[in-house]
Amino acid sequence: MGNGNDSILEAYLFETNSLLEQLDSLVLAAEEKDSFSEEDVNTIFRIMHTIKGSAAMMDLDGISTLAHAVEDVFFILREDPSRLALGGEALFDVVFQASDFLKSEVDSVQNTGDATQDPSAMIQELERLSALMQ
């Protein structure tokens, strides 16, 4: 890669790592309260939207697809916050799992230049959760 691509990759890694740290802080605080506030839901939606778009631009399809699945769950919650109760503890668990997966993949991109893990099982769980909440 040339300097231009290196700086794009560095910017991607910095932004995504920062967003994932913010996500973890939000989810930990929400778990302590046993609920996501409307602001939490909107912020997590935006974080996932940004990660999804950035990963897509970097051709990191697994990261983008997983972020999209998390974004879809939080879209449902944005549209109808009463659906939050339907997600229960499973919502916290799956968001933590998705965050761990995304961090692992971003580390892989940083170390090897590629993300190769398969997020299919996690995406299926998010889709199952979305269906329960609709």
Side-chain angles (χ1 to χ4, degrees), residues 10-131:
E10 286 175 29
Y12 166 78
L13 294 169
F14 177 79
E15 176 185 49
T16 303
N17 281 320
S18 297
L19 290 169
L20 290 171
E21 285 178 28
Q22 183 184 5
L23 174 67
D24 282 349
S25 294
L26 274 169
V27 178
L28 281 171
E31 188 179 42
E32 286 179 17
K33 298 181 295 188
D34 198 31
S35 182
F36 289 99
S37 70
E38 184 178 339
E39 183 180 343
D40 293 340
V41 169
N42 287 326
T43 301
I44 292 169
F45 177 86
R46 283 191 305 273
I47 287 170
M48 288 297 118
H49 184 77
T50 302
I51 290 173
K52 174 189 75 175
S54 298
M57 287 191 325
M58 299 296 292
D59 289 326
L60 300 168
D61 295 334
I63 293 173
S64 181
T65 304
L66 178 58
H68 188 107
V70 176
E71 179 188 36
D72 286 347
V73 169
F74 282 85
F75 177 80
I76 292 167
L77 297 175
R78 283 178 76 183
E79 295 299 304
D80 185 356
S82 71
R83 302 279 183 193
L84 185 57
L86 301 172
E89 190 63 32
L91 180 59
F92 290 105
D93 291 345
V94 76
V95 174
F96 279 127
Q97 290 170 9
S99 177
D100 288 346
F101 180 93
L102 292 168
K103 284 186 272 189
S104 173
E105 286 295 85
V106 170
D107 284 347
S108 180
V109 170
Q110 187 166 2
N111 295 324
T112 68
D114 201 7
T116 58
Q117 293 182 67
D118 182 5
S120 298
M122 204 169 309
I123 291 168
Q124 287 176 347
E125 178 61 18
L126 286 158
E127 289 171 347
R128 185 192 69 74
L129 195 57
S130 291

